[in-house]
Amino acid sequence: MKTLLSALTAVVALGALATSATAANLVIYTSQPNEDAQATVDGFKAAHPGIDVEWVRDGTTKIMAKLMAEIEAGNPVADVLLIADTVTLERLKQDKRLLSYTSPEAKAYDASLFDADGYYYSTKLITTGIMVNTQASMKPTSWKDLAKPEAKGLVTMPSPLTSGAALIHAQTLTADPALGWDYYRALKENGATASGGNGAVLKSVASGEKAYGVVVDYMPIREKAKGAPVEFVFPSEGVSAVTEPVAIMAGTKHQDAAKKFVDYVLSEKGQEGFLKLGYIPARNGMPVPAGFPARDTIKLMPFNASDALKNTEKDLKTFSEIFGGNG
């Protein structure tokens, strides 16, 4: 009986959400953490108090499943997407699900951080580099250092089979002719492990179980500020990045409000909001959170979302062949 009541409650709640969302002036689907999503919406509403906003938050995979189910049913609810990675939005672009919009704020961004046709724009930089336990005998400065004898059996990383950021990281590094898949084979031969997500890597290195970890930047930087015995290294070759792009759905009935939201998150004010949440703003000329190097010293490795989308299945298969398929 309790199970039935819970199920009925969930259905009613989802129905209420759909009803209120479709009545809003703007509906945002996002993979931001709840507090971040609320802060972003609050900032936008402060700038545009006349626009009523509803937002729905979940992991990118679940958000996309919800969105595609709505599209199949002929009733997509979202006006705007603010989700983890450009590859997901590149897929929607190629499926003609996104609206092209040239934001006047784009001039403050590197061309590599937004779609040339105006279908999506990066809003922040969540880079992946090397986390080091301060007791480690070697402090790496290059990705290749993790394949050296000094790091044998001491490296851990999230699996691309589990983590979207890890997949983008692998695709970024393997597209570099000086690294490629041979680099991942060298890591495996050197005893590196790959499983789970970034949180497991953080715990492993902070505890001293492993000396080195491949992980997203803000985790070890925040832990260091709390007193954890860790450092974060931006390798000399550069870093990969998940950029949490924003895009407008092609079928939106609220184009004006959607464009205002895109302009806001790309504006200096909107970027200040991401900075306060502890992320590197994607916009040029912005400061960075405490503990990060200056924005203009952070080197991003080239990444082509279209190529990554085309190669995803093959790349996951190759990774599985090297490290095993358990994720």
Side-chain angles (χ1 to χ4, degrees):
M1 186 66 180
K2 286 183 179 179
T3 303
L4 178 59
L5 286 173
S6 297
L8 288 172
T9 301
V11 170
V12 171
L14 286 171
L17 175 61
T19 302
S20 65
T22 52
N25 302 125
L26 187 68
V27 180
I28 301 165
Y29 279 12
T30 183
S31 61
Q32 289 183 302
N34 285 328
E35 290 184 7
D36 293 5
Q38 187 63 64
T40 302
V41 170
D42 288 346
F44 173 70
K45 290 177 73 172
H48 299 280
I51 299 178
D52 181 29
V53 181
E54 292 281 353
W55 57 273
V56 177
R57 188 272 159 194
D58 212 324
T60 294
T61 301
K62 290 184 178 179
I63 280 287
M64 287 303 299
K66 175 178 174 60
L67 180 66
M68 296 314 295
E70 292 171 355
I71 289 173
E72 285 292 318
N75 185 36
V77 175
D79 299 300
V80 170
L81 302 178
L82 181 60
I83 55 178
D85 63 88
T86 54
V87 178
T88 300
L89 291 187
E90 178 65 27
R91 180 182 294 111
L92 289 175
K93 171 192 171 181
Q94 292 186 17
D95 289 344
K96 302 187 186 307
R97 302 295 186 187
L98 300 180
L99 179 74
S100 175
Y101 170 55
T102 302
S103 172
E105 300 292 341
K107 61 183 181 294
Y109 288 73
D110 291 342
S112 62
L113 291 176
F114 61 89
D115 177 63
D117 299 316
Y119 285 99
Y120 51 83
Y121 296 85
S122 299
T123 65
K124 64 183 69 163
L125 305 179
I126 303 175
T127 71
T128 291
I130 302 172
M131 179 182 181
V132 185
N133 187 287
T134 54
Q135 297 302 308
S137 59
M138 171 188 69
K139 182 172 181 179
T141 59
S142 163
W143 288 114
K144 292 181 179 180
D145 288 343
L146 298 184
K148 288 182 175 179
E150 298 95 311
K152 188 172 182 63
L154 300 176
V155 177
T156 186
M157 69 186 86
S159 170
L161 305 176
T162 304
S163 165
L167 174 58
I168 285 176
H169 178 69
Q171 292 181 307
T172 301
L173 264 60
T174 56
D176 186 326
L179 295 170
W181 283 110
D182 283 344
Y183 172 65
Y184 276 83
R185 294 185 182 96
L187 288 176
K188 176 62 176 177
E189 289 172 8
N190 206 39
T193 60
S195 64
N198 285 276
V201 173
L202 177 73
K203 183 178 180 181
S204 180
V205 178
S207 68
E209 178 186 350
K210 296 289 184 178
Y212 312 103
V214 177
V215 71
V216 292
D217 53 28
Y218 66 89
M219 286 186 169
I221 288 174
R222 290 176 184 176
E223 288 304 301
K224 178 184 176 181
K226 296 174 185 175
V230 297
E231 299 281 350
F232 185 75
V233 175
F234 289 82
S236 56
E237 299 95 337
V239 289
S240 65
V242 174
T243 62
E244 198 158 84
V246 63
I248 302 172
M249 291 297 294
T252 177
K253 297 178 177 65
H254 307 112
Q255 268 197 43
D256 186 57
K259 289 176 180 179
K260 282 183 170 63
F261 183 80
V262 171
D263 291 344
Y264 168 75
V265 294
L266 299 181
S267 72
E268 190 169 340
K269 188 70 175 176
Q271 291 286 288
E272 286 173 354
F274 294 132
L275 176 62
K276 289 176 183 176
L277 292 169
Y279 303 104
I280 306 170
R283 184 184 177 102
N284 288 330
M286 299 290 296
V288 294
F292 286 80
R295 169 78 169 77
D296 59 5
T297 68
I298 297 172
K299 179 183 177 183
L300 295 181
M301 299 178 74
F303 180 74
N304 186 299
S306 180
D307 288 347
L309 175 62
K310 181 175 61 178
N311 296 326
T312 290
E313 187 174 338
K314 180 180 69 175
D315 289 340
L316 289 172
K317 181 180 178 182
T318 302
F319 183 88
S320 294
E321 289 170 350
I322 298 170
F323 280 93
N326 296 325

